[in-house]
Amino acid sequence: MGKIQLRDVNKSFGATNVIPKVNLDIENGEFVVFVGPSGCGKSTLLRLIAGLEDTTSGTISIDGRDVTGEAPAKRKLAMVFQSYALYPHMTVAKNIAFPLKMAGEDQAAIDKKVSEAARVLNLTNYLERRPGQLSGGQRQRVAIGRAIVRQPSAFLFDEPLSNLDAALRGTMRLEISELHHQLGTTMIYVTHDQVEAMTMADKIVVLNAGNIEQVGSPMELYRSPRNIFVAGFIGSPKMNLVEGPPAEKHGAKTVGFRPEHIAISTTEGEYQGKVGVAEHLGSDTFVHVHTDALGTMNVRADGEIPVHHGDTVWLTPDPAKIHRFGKDGLAL
Amino acid sequence: MARAVTTQTKVGNTVVAWIIALLIFFPILYTIITSLKTEQEAIAGFSLIPSFTFESYQAVQSQNDYFKPFMNSVILAVGSTILALIVAIPAAWAMAFNPTKRTKDILMWMLSTKMMPAVAVLVPIYLIFLNTGLMDTRFGLTILLMLINLPIVVWMLYTYFREIPGEILEAARMDGATLWGEIWYVLTPMAVPGIASTLLLNIILAWNESFWTIQLTTTNAAPLTAFIASFSSPQGLFWAKLSAASTLAIAPILIMGWFSQKQLVRGLTFGAVK
Ligand SMILES: Nc1ncnc2c1ncn2[C@@H]1O[C@H](COP(=O)(O)OP(=O)(O)O)[C@@H](O)[C@H]1O
Ligand SMILES: [Mg+2]
């Protein structure tokens, strides 16, 4: 089981209030991603759940049990750190076995669980190596192995992929998602990368300066961002946000057009502009268009389109997919 | 071309390193050479070739007992070092892993006590020793040497502990380790090299400490430093005997240093090289 509840959780470091007040429910078996810009308090929130930091006020409960004052060891959570935090003086086998040893399990059971975890994670041939003799991806898998053997009630990941190169990050992302399907255990995953959030999460929690901006499924956040911050943060490339007359025309302070919801044409359309940079990726084309009415707009077109630097083009936002925001920044 | 430059640089570095090493080692070497001379040769002037006589060693042995000051040196050096570690390890842990705003100030304040010449506190310490009956006792001197070297021990350990990433300790906590488990299974094995080199270096420092050991002892607690000093008598200097005594005094620590040089080099360059 792994149902986690945060009630009025507040955290200050000295005079700096990092997490003003957070209320959050995480259901059993959910894959929850905390996403937000660097320094917004994602790690702090995760460490509060882990018990590595004490709350200043508020309560945290796991499966209905108040754990606010409990030591990390008692909470039955496993954590994978950004730096992997493997024990450098122990072999891979000893690293994975460590939580079991601390739990006082007998050696035969430990050996069985370690070899099973090693098999799942493709580490069988590396069990006698030290962490220093492994690649980044392998170290990451050892860290995950150490987390899964104890069958925790939830897994906590703090930016586990940010030290890996792009290709490996993609593979590990799939492996972690796969693991979640296999185990069905609650996972809380912290990242600043909205692509990771969108691809892995059942539920995304968007954080900004210690406040929860919005909670929802990836598609909910994509389709109906609650405010300008979420609109700008979720989606890649970023949503184009425009103020002034074009927004007033739609009865809003700010309007947002997603790059993929703008039609681009070399002959006709709503707004005229000149192509700055056109990035041709084959599968997509990203075009930066300088317009008089809207400023610089990012546009994404499917496949290959014949536009180049200096061309005159016309942009037409899809009227059904325009996001409107009021003076307070909230969606209208 | 590039390779030639590298080789030249290497040769140059090696030569410079050897010259510096010989310059540093020369006083010790000359002490050993002098100890193998007769007293006449010793006063006669600079010469690198002794007559290889052991008469000074025999004289030193018959004149003064070597074994007792040797044992005193061992007790003082090892005892004060172990006491210092017992006090310094918790202190350094606390400062490295739970620093406060004042931690840096405390460290600096500790170190500042080493910036004062020892003689500045000679009178108060002398009086304390006199009035508490600690004069010429191994116990008093062990405590004093411990206190004198404590700032350095804390600093060294603090530097080592700081290199241990806090996340690893947190991982142990998440893995269900108790505080004791965390210290025993994770912290200690990772810190052993640092603790070992701190221990070795501090033994050397305590072994060679000569100001307090000479001031505060007469016979009972006198270590080898006092043993050397007893040969520079007011009746006249006996260079060869003095050198023989010095050689005997530094020999044990030199041998220990030789066998543990890997540890020591690692210890002294830890923060810098990684
Ligand atoms: N131990 C600490 N002491 C003081 N400030 C801290 C501490 N840990 C984090 N902070 C501050 O809290 C804020 C949030 O940090 P963090 O949770 O690490 O952000 P994120 O993981 O989202 O990048 C930052 O401004 C950071 O400087
Ligand atoms: Mg972080």
Side-chain angles (χ1 to χ4, degrees):
Chain A
M1 287 294 283
K3 183 175 158 66
I4 299 169
Q5 287 179 314
L6 306 177
R7 287 289 169 269
D8 297 332
V9 168
N10 169 284
K11 176 67 184 175
S12 302
F13 290 109
T16 19
N17 197 350
V18 176
I19 310 272
K21 187 178 188 180
V22 160
N23 283 289
L24 184 65
D25 285 284
I26 293 166
E27 299 305 325
N28 185 34
E30 253 182 340
F31 197 120
V32 177
V33 174
F34 293 172
V35 70
S38 182
C40 71
K42 307 178 293 289
S43 297
T44 306
L45 197 55
L46 194 73
R47 292 165 57 82
L48 286 168
I49 296 172
L52 293 171
E53 303 280 359
D54 294 325
T55 55
T56 306
S57 67
T59 56
I60 298 172
S61 57
I62 301 175
D63 295 329
R65 188 168 51 96
D66 184 349
V67 299
T68 314
E70 270 186 11
K74 293 226 179 110
R75 300 192 185 190
K76 298 217 162 50
L77 305 172
M79 186 150 168
V80 175
F81 294 83
Q82 179 173 353
S83 65
Y84 319 133
L86 301 178
Y87 310 122
H89 57 290
M90 298 183 197
T91 60
V92 168
K94 290 248 165 64
N95 263 280
I96 297 177
F98 189 74
L100 300 171
K101 191 170 158 186
M102 291 299 105
E105 297 206 16
D106 65 75
Q107 196 57 45
I110 293 179
D111 289 344
K112 194 160 157 280
K113 287 181 185 175
V114 169
S115 59
E116 172 61 16
R119 193 186 57 76
V120 171
L121 294 165
N122 277 325
L123 288 167
T124 307
N125 294 331
Y126 303 98
L127 282 174
E128 291 315 310
R129 293 211 193 163
R130 301 255 170 144
Q133 300 163 302
L134 300 177
S135 71
Q138 288 165 339
R139 284 182 211 184
Q140 187 60 74
R141 285 208 285 271
V142 177
I144 293 173
R146 193 172 62 179
I148 63 175
V149 280
R150 211 166 44 126
Q151 294 168 316
S153 48
F155 292 96
L156 311 178
F157 293 90
D158 192 354
E159 310 222 8
L161 306 185
S162 53
N163 286 350
L164 303 177
D165 62 55
L168 204 51
R169 218 178 302 156
T171 332
M172 288 303 297
R173 210 161 70 198
L174 289 175
E175 283 189 30
I176 293 175
S177 293
E178 188 65 35
L179 198 66
H180 179 242
H181 289 304
Q182 272 175 31
L183 301 174
T185 311
T186 310
M187 292 189 173
I188 306 178
Y189 186 104
V190 162
T191 180
H192 64 267
D193 179 355
Q194 66 89 31
V195 175
E196 279 178 23
M198 293 298 280
T199 51
M200 300 171 88
D202 294 323
K203 182 153 100 186
I204 297 180
V205 177
V206 182
L207 288 165
N208 182 27
N211 292 305
I212 294 184
E213 297 285 346
Q214 190 171 2
V215 179
S217 74
M219 281 308 124
E220 275 165 21
L221 299 193
Y222 177 80
R223 291 207 191 98
S224 23
R226 201 176 70 83
N227 58 29
I228 292 183
F229 180 83
V230 178
F233 198 81
I234 297 291
S236 174
K238 275 166 91 118
M239 183 188 282
N240 299 287
L241 292 163
V242 181
E243 292 185 5
E248 282 155 21
K249 201 170 90 184
H250 294 278
K253 172 84 190 335
T254 311
V255 280
F257 311 110
R258 292 209 182 272
E260 54 273 37
H261 297 152
I262 301 171
I264 185 166
S265 159
T266 48
T267 52
E268 56 180 356
E270 200 173 339
Y271 302 102
Q272 192 198 19
K274 262 198 163 31
V275 174
V277 176
E279 299 169 325
H280 300 270
L281 301 181
S283 59
D284 314 84
T285 308
F286 296 111
V287 192
H288 301 258
V289 182
H290 305 293
T291 67
D292 290 333
L294 305 173
T296 301
M297 301 289 282
N298 291 324
V299 180
R300 177 185 160 278
D302 269 339
E304 177 60 24
I305 57 161
V307 296
H308 298 281
H309 175 75
D311 291 357
T312 298
V313 292
W314 281 266
L315 303 180
T316 315
D318 180 345
K321 288 177 175 164
I322 293 172
H323 299 268
R324 303 182 314 125
F325 302 96
K327 271 201 181 63
D328 50 6
L330 294 178
L332 293 172
Chain B
M1 195 53 208
R3 175 165 296 172
V5 173
T6 326
T7 317
Q8 264 175 23
T9 319
K10 260 191 194 160
V11 170
N13 285 349
T14 311
V15 170
V16 171
W18 268 98
I19 291 173
I20 293 174
L22 281 175
L23 278 176
I24 293 171
F25 185 64
F26 187 74
I28 295 174
L29 182 69
Y30 200 63
T31 304
I32 296 170
I33 291 173
T34 308
S35 74
L36 297 170
K37 293 176 179 172
T38 63
E39 285 298 348
Q40 287 83 346
E41 281 179 306
I43 328 177
F46 183 80
S47 142
L48 282 177
I49 298 147
S51 56
F52 290 104
T53 166
F54 285 91
E55 66 183 34
S56 296
Y57 285 92
Q58 277 156 0
V60 163
Q61 282 290 16
S62 57
Q63 196 174 330
N64 252 338
D65 178 30
Y66 174 75
F67 187 69
K68 191 172 172 197
F70 170 77
M71 280 317 290
N72 281 340
S73 273
V74 171
I75 290 167
L76 293 183
V78 175
S80 71
T81 300
I82 287 172
L83 277 181
L85 282 176
I86 290 172
V87 176
I89 288 177
W93 279 129
M95 288 195 280
F97 294 108
N98 299 300
T100 67
K101 266 190 253 160
R102 294 265 165 269
T103 298
K104 282 260 142 67
D105 301 341
I106 293 174
L107 278 165
M108 210 50 221
W109 169 70
M110 284 187 187
L111 198 68
S112 73
T113 62
K114 298 296 294 176
M115 297 172 187
M116 173 185 63
V119 73
V121 286
L122 175 60
V123 173
I125 290 193
Y126 192 87
L127 289 178
I128 290 171
F129 266 59
L130 207 59
N131 292 332
T132 50
L134 290 174
M135 195 59 86
D136 202 21
T137 60
R138 291 175 198 155
F139 175 75
L141 220 52
T142 305
I143 301 290
L144 188 69
L145 288 182
M146 183 269 268
L147 291 173
I148 284 170
N149 289 329
L150 200 53
I152 301 208
V153 177
V154 172
W155 262 84
M156 279 185 74
L157 290 177
Y158 171 77
T159 320
Y160 293 121
F161 294 170
R162 275 261 310 257
E163 301 279 326
I164 296 176
E167 277 198 347
I168 295 184
L169 306 186
E170 289 178 345
R173 240 167 279 167
M174 291 303 296
D175 283 345
T178 56
L179 182 64
W180 171 241
E182 183 185 321
I183 289 174
W184 183 248
Y185 293 108
V186 182
L187 297 180
T188 312
M190 287 178 70
V192 152
I195 294 174
S197 39
T198 307
L199 181 115
L200 289 170
L201 190 77
N202 198 60
I203 286 178
I204 295 175
L205 287 177
W207 186 277
N208 291 332
E209 203 293 321
S210 55
F211 181 78
W212 294 108
T213 48
I214 292 172
Q215 297 296 336
L216 300 177
T217 61
T218 45
T219 49
N220 189 32
L224 288 170
T225 45
F227 173 80
I228 303 174
S230 69
F231 287 92
S232 64
S233 57
Q235 290 87 14
L237 285 173
F238 296 97
W239 292 117
K241 286 195 198 68
L242 189 60
S243 299
S246 298
T247 307
L248 285 173
I250 60 172
I253 207 74
L254 208 62
I255 292 165
M256 186 200 88
W258 178 265
F259 283 111
S260 56
Q261 51 178 311
K262 258 200 192 137
Q263 267 312 327
L264 279 173
V265 169
R266 193 183 126 74
L268 294 171
T269 56
F270 192 69
V273 184
K274 257 195 178 173

